[in-house]
Amino acid sequence: MLSERAKKIKPSATLSIDSKAKEMKASGVDVISFALGEPDFDTPDNIKEAAIKAIKSGFTKYTPVGGVPELKDAIINKLKTDNSLEYDRTEIVVSCGAKHSLYNAAQALYSPGDEVLIPAPYWVSYPDQVLLNDAVPVIVDCREEDLFMVTADSLKEKITKKTKAVILNYPSNPTGYTYDKKTLEGIAEVALKHNLFIVSDEIYEKLLYDGLTHISIASIDKEVKKKTIVINGLSKSHAMTGWRIGYAAGDKSVIKAMENIQSQSTSNPTSISQKAAIEAMTGQQETVSIMVKEFDKRREFIVKELNEIPGVSCRRPQGAFYAFPNIKAHLGKSVGSRKVADSSDMAMYLLEDAAVALVPGGAFGMEGYIRISYATSMEVIKEGLNRIKKALKALS
Ligand code: PMP
Ligand code: GLU
């Protein structure tokens, strides 16, 4: 009954584990959720006020498909100031979240049979978005010793005549690591040599710690910029997950194709959210720094605590709000009749026995790890870690 395409796709693991946790909560179980990558901060008031003003002034109709000119200008200005990238309005498209921008880019770029390189661990939606276009996700495994990031050499090994693009995400979900300039240059060189597009998901760029600054691969040079689709959005930086605003910047022909696809599917992103996004990008930015400072505190705490749990080791992430501890020492153990063979079993065990929701490494294409989102209060983090500690102790 269903299309072959629909049959290939699974639901987003992050979203489904979070909804399971929410269901358990609604039925009275005291669940601690580390499952979802969503800032626990409220959307700042100035942004909310801009949306209220948009509603009251009747800014509630269709807008140009790819976003209103004022929002495109705010994005152009941001890309210039933050990333030294110059674009014009024909090179920007605003969509209903970065996920939608990524989806449109996939639709615009991949034909059936094209191969798309995806370094693992990867964000859960990349392989399925490739599959939705009847293209082939080619997973490039990364190593913890390389801080889970891909190297130019390992990309090279997977390139064939059919390779069309590579998807990069830095700072990374699920690991929190990012690329330095030299590594980006190496990757860009390989991409150019083989005429690959680079889909560069930079949604966590504002969430970097230890004074690190974000470098967009598109800023390396003009040639790289021409082959790169920069993806970004406001969900993480401005605590605006529900507003659904993301955007893409890139070569005019690709952006135009993405806009055409959008014009035949969703039309414009919500008019009200666009006004809110303009305020988010042009108004005060102190709330971003306040959030980053708080995430940084939690990062220090969670990494220290995780490393004190026997059989768990966790490197210190550089950005985003995820810890990705290695739990290999606990795999293969049991409690009663329950065997914990892999990261999925571990996530299930922690959810059912300890009421802690988190995402198994397997969902990101990397076994032996779990992802803990620390976009939640310090109190919740402390309680959740205590529960994990106890549950792991019970395994033998
Ligand atoms: N890319 C990555 C790596 C993400 O973690 C997320 C999380 N939601 C997104 C894209 C999509 O963000 P949104 O659609 O909310 O803008
Ligand atoms: N990106 C977030 C996460 O990884 C939100 C969930 C999703 O969009 O899949 O948890």
Side-chain angles (χ1 to χ4, degrees), residues 82-382:
D82 291 353
N83 311 108
S84 311
L85 288 168
E86 304 249 3
Y87 292 100
D88 65 34
R89 287 181 189 167
T90 64
E91 295 169 309
I92 305 289
V93 58
V94 186
S95 308
C96 312
K99 190 183 273 186
H100 188 212
S101 301
L102 285 159
Y103 178 79
N104 287 341
Q107 285 247 302
L109 294 176
Y110 315 145
S111 297
D114 281 349
E115 294 178 0
V116 181
L117 302 177
I118 304 177
Y122 47 73
W123 180 48
V124 291
S125 292
Y126 301 145
D128 289 75
Q129 290 197 348
V130 171
L131 290 171
L132 277 168
N133 288 283
D134 299 321
V136 183
V138 175
I139 306 304
V140 186
D141 293 317
C142 303
R143 302 179 321 153
E144 183 175 343
E145 302 85 276
D146 296 324
L147 304 180
F148 309 100
M149 300 308 267
V150 82
T151 60
D153 283 341
S154 52
L155 276 184
K156 255 191 246 166
E157 279 172 25
K158 297 276 184 171
I159 293 176
T160 70
K161 286 207 162 50
K162 290 185 180 165
T163 311
K164 183 73 185 277
V166 52
I167 304 178
L168 299 179
N169 171 221
Y170 53 103
S172 151
N173 175 4
T175 69
Y177 281 95
T178 198
Y179 290 111
D180 58 26
K181 190 154 185 239
K182 203 164 152 252
T183 311
L184 287 175
E185 283 169 349
I187 294 171
E189 195 185 323
V190 172
L192 285 190
K193 186 165 171 222
H194 296 273
N195 197 27
L196 308 185
F197 280 101
I198 303 166
V199 176
S200 183
D201 181 350
E202 305 179 20
I203 191 143
Y204 293 99
E205 81 160 300
K206 297 280 179 197
L207 307 184
L208 270 174
Y209 314 114
D210 302 331
L212 287 172
T213 45
H214 178 79
I215 301 163
S216 173
I217 193 165
S219 68
I220 289 178
D221 66 33
K222 281 209 165 84
E223 287 310 298
V224 181
K225 179 172 171 245
K226 205 172 158 45
K227 294 295 288 183
T228 303
I229 321 297
V230 175
I231 308 284
N232 212 323
L234 299 172
S235 287
K236 317 292 169 174
S237 56
H238 292 77
M240 288 178 72
T241 45
W243 299 75
R244 309 312 300 133
I245 295 287
Y247 57 89
D251 187 69
K252 212 191 286 196
S253 58
V254 179
I255 295 298
K256 180 71 190 142
M258 289 172 66
E259 192 176 314
N260 290 347
I261 288 158
Q262 191 161 299
S263 80
Q264 297 289 15
S265 49
T266 59
S267 303
N268 60 277
T270 310
S271 58
I272 300 151
S273 294
Q274 290 190 60
K275 285 288 186 191
I278 294 165
E279 175 60 25
M281 298 187 85
T282 58
Q284 61 80 21
Q285 300 298 311
E286 288 94 68
T287 42
V288 180
S289 337
I290 293 169
M291 260 194 333
V292 174
K293 245 190 220 146
E294 180 59 30
F295 285 141
D296 190 9
K297 247 194 260 164
R298 297 175 191 173
R299 171 184 71 133
E300 296 295 0
F301 178 77
I302 204 162
V303 169
K304 184 176 150 283
E305 292 291 312
L306 281 168
N307 281 311
E308 281 171 12
I309 302 177
V312 175
S313 65
C314 184
R315 288 175 193 262
R316 198 159 162 268
Q318 299 167 313
F321 35 58
Y322 306 108
F324 198 60
N326 182 325
I327 47 131
K328 288 177 190 171
H330 288 286
L331 300 181
K333 292 185 178 174
S334 307
V335 55
S337 60
R338 184 194 277 273
K339 190 158 187 282
V340 178
D342 60 15
S343 61
S344 293
D345 290 349
M346 180 62 88
M348 201 47 87
Y349 167 56
L350 292 174
L351 184 61
E352 289 173 355
D353 277 48
V356 176
L358 42 75
V359 187
F364 306 98
M366 194 147 191
E367 256 314 322
Y369 299 81
I370 48 177
R371 187 191 79 171
I372 298 181
S373 163
Y374 54 85
T376 185
S377 75
M378 206 61 144
E379 260 176 293
V380 171
I381 294 174
K382 280 182 191 162

Side-chain angles (χ1 to χ4, degrees), residues 19-72:
S19 40
K20 181 150 191 211
K22 285 190 175 122
E23 265 168 40
M24 284 171 72
K25 221 176 213 162
S27 71
V29 185
D30 168 30
V31 181
I32 295 278
S33 185
F34 290 139
L36 200 58
E38 170 168 71
D40 54 316
F41 297 90
D42 197 5
T43 305
D45 281 341
N46 60 313
I47 299 174
K48 289 184 183 171
E49 290 302 331
I52 292 165
K53 202 168 144 206
I55 295 172
K56 290 201 166 151
S57 68
F59 195 75
T60 53
K61 304 284 170 68
Y62 292 134
T63 75
V65 169
V68 293
E70 200 187 345
L71 177 53
K72 285 194 177 183

